[in-house]
Amino acid sequence: MQTILITGAGRGIGAELRRQAMEAGHRVIGTARNRAVAQDWHPLEVTDPASCKALAQALADVPIDLLVCNAGVYVDKGLALEAYTAAELTESFAVNVTGVFLTIQALLPNLEAAKGRIAVISSQMGSSAQAPGGSYAYRASKAAATNLAMNLASELAPRGIAVGAYHPGWVQTDMGGAAAQITAAESATGLLARFAALGPDHTGVFETWDGRTHDF
């Protein structure tokens, strides 16, 4: 049994990852905004250093085998270029980049205790090889999240911590929409297989949910 922590586990891909990991017999700690403390549930506002610190204090004696940085926002979906304000970029980077960094930073002792792994849920929309325009805040923030994962992989390798970034697919969730290509169950099954392969000899990867290496 492993101890897995999933941010943004209250809905969408995060909820399905939690469900499948629990079915596989793992202890799964979930976080969500405005979530009351309960059995293996903790409130977490990833953009708030104090909230990240409180989570770390609550889990001070818990080695974490796998941290899944899944919490994210897509606030500029369908927004026209001319309609953008600074707010869309500020929120996108605060959650999708700063939030990932603060969560990892706070939980480093837990990860070091287990020689654990970090999975950053990114997106193919952050790939510079696929840049059709639109969704500027989301695309740029996911590109930054992938870059963050690659740099962390280099720095944390000597500590025995492996890091990967993952495209979950175009998933039928509130974010992905009903027209998306795959179900949350399909995405989660593939992602959990990718996370299982993550390790000292397979770190610094950017992969798709179904096991393909993704262009940066």
Side-chain angles (χ1 to χ4, degrees):
M1 182 184 78
Q2 297 181 15
T3 297
I4 301 172
L5 191 149
I6 303 172
T7 66
R11 60 185 182 135
I13 296 170
E16 184 61 25
L17 285 168
R18 178 177 178 270
R19 185 190 70 79
Q20 290 193 23
M22 289 178 66
E23 279 192 353
H26 301 300
R27 178 189 178 186
V28 183
I29 301 168
T31 78
R33 285 176 172 173
N34 304 317
R35 183 87 189 204
V37 176
Q39 181 65 40
D40 282 337
W41 274 107
H42 292 269
L44 178 64
E45 172 50 71
V46 296
T47 65
D48 181 3
S51 182
C52 294
K53 183 178 179 179
L55 176 65
Q57 290 174 337
L59 300 175
D61 299 320
V62 181
I64 294 175
D65 298 290
L66 172 64
L67 169 61
V68 183
C69 294
N70 169 73
V73 294
Y74 186 1
V75 298
D76 59 327
K77 186 175 183 180
L79 193 65
L81 174 60
E82 293 81 2
Y84 273 82
T85 68
E88 288 80 32
L89 286 102
T90 298
E91 183 178 356
S92 298
F93 275 82
V95 177
N96 297 346
V97 187
T98 304
V100 171
F101 185 85
L102 292 177
T103 302
I104 294 169
Q105 184 184 53
L107 296 174
L108 267 178
N110 308 75
L111 290 157
E112 288 186 291
K115 301 295 184 186
R117 293 158 289 144
I118 301 168
V120 175
I121 303 302
S122 184
S123 173
Q124 70 177 8
M125 289 177 69
S127 170
S128 296
Q130 300 185 33
S135 299
Y136 294 99
Y138 185 76
R139 290 182 188 278
S141 66
K142 286 301 186 179
T146 301
N147 181 274
L148 179 64
M150 299 305 102
N151 280 282
L152 285 167
S154 296
E155 181 160 351
L156 296 179
R159 305 192 201 186
I161 299 172
V163 187
Y166 300 91
H167 166 54
W170 184 17
V171 187
Q172 295 163 11
T173 61
D174 290 343
M175 183 182 292
Q181 295 173 333
I182 61 173
T183 65
E186 290 173 302
S187 175
T189 297
L191 288 170
L192 288 170
R194 305 287 78 73
F195 304 162
L198 186 62
D201 298 325
H202 192 69
T203 188
V205 296
F206 182 23
E207 295 179 334
T208 64
W209 66 279
D210 54 354
R212 292 171 289 122
T213 298
H214 207 296
D215 294 329
F216 288 92

